[in-house]
Amino acid sequence: MSAAVGFPMPRIAGIDGGVGTSLVATMLKVPFDSGKRGPGEQVDVLVCRSVTGQIARAIATTMAMPVPPVLVVVDDCGQSWPKTARQRIEMARPNLPAVVRVPWIEQLRSVDDPHLLLAEALHGHDYLDEVPRWALPAQKAAQELVTAVTGLLTERHETRLPAPESNNDNQEEHR
């Protein structure tokens, strides 16, 4: 995604640590994420795992923000979501700019640097048909994510909504 002219970098944070914020930053081609969301912090993208309790907390958190963020749910395994998790997402979906599901990617478990592997798979090609087969579901999610975040940033820019405050001390450098 990289920041378009006139748009700030999207602020990406997780409901907890280790939920996939760096993975989402890699998918958006953004150089950093904010790690775990701080109390009262406004973000553009809120990330959680596909665990029922995290989804509930993420939805409650998005509803408390002045401008609801894009909600990204990262699969925590290769199985389908629990019924309660699916129901909660469907109830919240009309109140959010978008809900994007990041699929489980088995290949990322067995490498030392999964973010580098994913970055190369998604962004290291001149043509979309060169994306490795295993990365196609991630590519689809990345395209949905870019569309959703671009829409949110465009709306904020056009209506002059306040941008989330940047806290560079809290931003984790990302490859």
Side-chain angles (χ1 to χ4, degrees):
M1 168 173 198
S2 302
V5 175
F7 288 114
M9 286 285 184
R11 183 120 170 130
I12 304 165
I15 195 70
D16 283 324
V19 296
T21 56
S22 295
L23 182 75
V24 171
T26 298
M27 293 173 81
L28 287 172
K29 204 173 180 182
V30 171
F32 55 82
D33 63 77
S34 299
K36 183 179 176 184
R37 179 186 168 273
E41 181 181 7
Q42 175 70 49
V43 297
D44 300 308
V45 179
L46 185 65
V47 183
C48 70
R49 292 265 183 212
S50 59
V51 178
T52 303
Q54 279 194 4
I55 289 173
R57 284 196 348 262
I59 290 169
T61 300
T62 63
M63 296 300 127
M65 289 185 198
V67 180
V70 171
L71 178 61
V72 178
V73 183
V74 178
D75 282 357
D76 69 318
C77 66
Q79 299 175 0
S80 61
W81 290 357
K83 182 178 179 181
T84 306
R86 291 191 312 268
Q87 291 171 333
R88 287 178 179 168
I89 289 292
E90 289 313 309
M91 285 189 303
R93 192 178 297 274
N95 300 308
L96 298 169
V99 177
V100 178
R101 181 178 187 170
V102 175
W104 178 257
I105 306 167
E106 185 66 31
Q107 288 78 355
L108 298 181
R109 296 183 71 218
S110 62
V111 296
D112 291 331
D113 193 341
H115 302 109
L116 179 60
L117 180 64
L118 187 61
E120 289 173 356
L122 296 180
H123 309 298
H125 307 284
D126 293 329
Y127 303 99
L128 291 178
D129 63 353
E130 295 176 344
V131 173
R133 183 180 181 105
W134 63 264
L136 291 176
Q139 178 193 34
K140 181 178 182 238
Q143 289 170 336
E144 289 176 29
L145 190 53
V146 166
T147 299
V149 172
T150 301
L152 180 69
L153 294 177
T154 300
E155 181 181 331
R156 188 173 73 205
H157 180 75
E158 289 174 353
T159 58
R160 302 289 186 238
L161 294 172
E165 291 183 21
S166 179
N167 180 359
N168 290 333
D169 295 337
N170 192 29
Q171 291 174 343
E172 178 180 304
E173 273 304 312
H174 179 73
R175 290 186 231 202

